Coordinates of all heavy atoms in Angstrom, one line a residue:
P104 N 0.8 -1.2 0.0 CA 0.0 0.0 0.0 C 0.8 1.3 0.0 O 0.4 2.3 -0.5 CB -0.8 -0.1 1.3 CG -0.9 -1.6 1.5 CD 0.4 -2.2 1.1
V105 N 2.1 1.2 0.5 CA 2.9 2.4 0.5 C 4.2 2.2 -0.3 O 5.2 2.7 0.0 CB 3.3 2.8 2.0 CG1 2.1 3.3 2.7 CG2 3.9 1.7 2.8
G106 N 4.0 1.4 -1.3 CA 5.2 1.0 -2.2 C 5.8 2.2 -2.9 O 5.1 3.2 -3.2
E107 N 7.1 2.1 -3.2 CA 7.8 3.1 -3.9 C 8.7 2.3 -4.9 O 9.0 1.2 -4.7 CB 8.7 4.0 -3.0 CG 7.8 4.8 -2.1 CD 8.7 5.6 -1.2 OE1 10.0 5.5 -1.2 OE2 8.2 6.4 -0.4
G108 N 9.2 3.1 -5.9 CA 10.1 2.5 -6.9 C 9.5 1.3 -7.6 O 8.5 1.5 -8.3
D109 N 10.1 0.1 -7.5 CA 9.7 -1.0 -8.2 C 8.5 -1.7 -7.5 O 8.0 -2.7 -8.0 CB 10.8 -2.0 -8.4 CG 11.9 -1.5 -9.4 OD1 11.5 -0.7 -10.2 OD2 13.0 -2.0 -9.3
V110 N 8.1 -1.2 -6.4 CA 7.0 -1.8 -5.6 C 5.7 -1.0 -5.9 O 5.7 0.2 -5.6 CB 7.3 -1.8 -4.1 CG1 6.1 -2.4 -3.3 CG2 8.5 -2.6 -3.8
L111 N 4.7 -1.7 -6.5 CA 3.5 -1.0 -6.8 C 2.7 -0.5 -5.6 O 2.5 -1.3 -4.7 CB 2.6 -1.9 -7.7 CG 3.2 -2.4 -9.0 CD1 2.2 -3.3 -9.7 CD2 3.5 -1.2 -9.9
P112 N 2.3 0.8 -5.5 CA 1.6 1.3 -4.3 C 0.1 0.9 -4.4 O -0.7 1.8 -4.6 CB 1.9 2.8 -4.4 CG 2.0 3.1 -5.9 CD 2.6 1.8 -6.5
V113 N -0.2 -0.3 -4.2 CA -1.6 -0.8 -4.3 C -1.8 -1.9 -3.2 O -1.0 -2.8 -3.0 CB -1.9 -1.3 -5.7 CG1 -1.0 -2.5 -6.1 CG2 -3.3 -1.7 -5.8
P114 N -3.0 -1.8 -2.5 CA -3.3 -2.9 -1.6 C -3.8 -4.1 -2.4 O -4.2 -4.0 -3.6 CB -4.5 -2.3 -0.8 CG -5.0 -1.2 -1.6 CD -3.9 -0.7 -2.4
L115 N -3.7 -5.3 -1.8 CA -4.0 -6.6 -2.5 C -5.4 -6.5 -3.1 O -5.6 -6.9 -4.3 CB -3.9 -7.7 -1.5 CG -4.2 -9.1 -2.0 CD1 -3.4 -9.5 -3.2 CD2 -4.1 -10.1 -0.9
L116 N -6.4 -6.0 -2.4 CA -7.8 -6.1 -2.9 C -7.9 -5.2 -4.2 O -8.8 -5.5 -5.0 CB -8.7 -5.5 -1.8 CG -10.2 -5.6 -2.1 CD1 -10.6 -7.1 -2.4 CD2 -11.0 -5.1 -1.0
E117 N -7.1 -4.3 -4.4 CA -7.2 -3.4 -5.5 C -6.3 -3.7 -6.7 O -6.3 -3.0 -7.8 CB -7.0 -1.9 -5.1 CG -8.0 -1.4 -4.1 CD -7.7 0.0 -3.6 OE1 -6.9 0.7 -4.3 OE2 -8.2 0.4 -2.6
L118 N -5.5 -4.8 -6.6 CA -4.7 -5.2 -7.7 C -5.5 -5.7 -8.8 O -6.3 -6.6 -8.7 CB -3.6 -6.2 -7.2 CG -2.6 -6.7 -8.3 CD1 -1.7 -5.5 -8.7 CD2 -1.8 -7.8 -7.8
A119 N -5.3 -5.1 -10.0 CA -6.1 -5.5 -11.2 C -5.6 -6.8 -11.7 O -4.4 -7.0 -11.8 CB -6.0 -4.4 -12.3
P120 N -6.5 -7.7 -12.0 CA -6.1 -9.0 -12.5 C -5.5 -8.9 -13.8 O -5.8 -8.1 -14.7 CB -7.4 -9.8 -12.5 CG -8.5 -8.8 -12.6 CD -8.0 -7.6 -11.9
S121 N -4.5 -9.7 -14.1 CA -3.8 -9.9 -15.4 C -3.7 -11.3 -15.6 O -4.5 -12.1 -15.2 CB -2.5 -9.1 -15.4 OG -1.6 -9.7 -14.4
E122 N -2.6 -11.7 -16.3 CA -2.3 -13.2 -16.4 C -2.1 -13.7 -15.0 O -1.4 -13.1 -14.2 CB -1.0 -13.3 -17.2 CG -0.6 -14.8 -17.5 CD 0.7 -14.9 -18.2 OE1 1.1 -13.9 -18.8 OE2 1.2 -16.0 -18.3
P123 N -2.7 -14.9 -14.7 CA -2.6 -15.4 -13.4 C -1.2 -15.7 -12.9 O -0.3 -16.0 -13.7 CB -3.4 -16.7 -13.4 CG -4.3 -16.6 -14.6 CD -3.6 -15.7 -15.6
F124 N -0.9 -15.5 -11.6 CA 0.4 -15.7 -11.1 C 0.5 -17.2 -10.8 O -0.4 -17.9 -10.4 CB 0.6 -14.9 -9.8 CG 0.7 -13.5 -10.0 CD1 -0.4 -12.6 -9.9 CD2 1.9 -12.9 -10.4 CE1 -0.3 -11.3 -10.1 CE2 2.1 -11.5 -10.6 CZ 0.9 -10.7 -10.5
D125 N 1.8 -17.7 -10.9 CA 2.1 -19.1 -10.5 C 2.3 -19.3 -9.0 O 2.2 -20.4 -8.5 CB 3.4 -19.5 -11.2 CG 3.3 -19.4 -12.7 OD1 2.3 -19.9 -13.3 OD2 4.2 -18.7 -13.3
A126 N 2.6 -18.2 -8.3 CA 2.8 -18.3 -6.9 C 2.7 -16.9 -6.3 O 2.8 -15.9 -7.0 CB 4.2 -18.9 -6.6
A127 N 2.6 -16.9 -5.0 CA 2.6 -15.6 -4.2 C 3.4 -15.8 -3.0 O 3.5 -16.9 -2.4 CB 1.2 -15.1 -3.9
V128 N 4.0 -14.7 -2.5 CA 4.7 -14.7 -1.3 C 4.2 -13.6 -0.3 O 4.0 -12.5 -0.8 CB 6.2 -14.5 -1.5 CG1 7.0 -14.4 -0.2 CG2 6.8 -15.6 -2.4

């Protein structure tokens, strides 16, 4: 949510879907 640089400043709930991810951490 407070990301900077290469970290997108977005909470999980608001991340727009794209090609599905193979994993998450």
Side-chain angles (χ1 to χ4, degrees):
V105 293
E107 297 179 357
D109 291 336
V110 179
L111 300 177
V113 60
L115 178 58
L116 186 59
E117 296 176 17
L118 183 63
S121 59
E122 181 183 346
F124 291 95
D125 301 309
V128 175

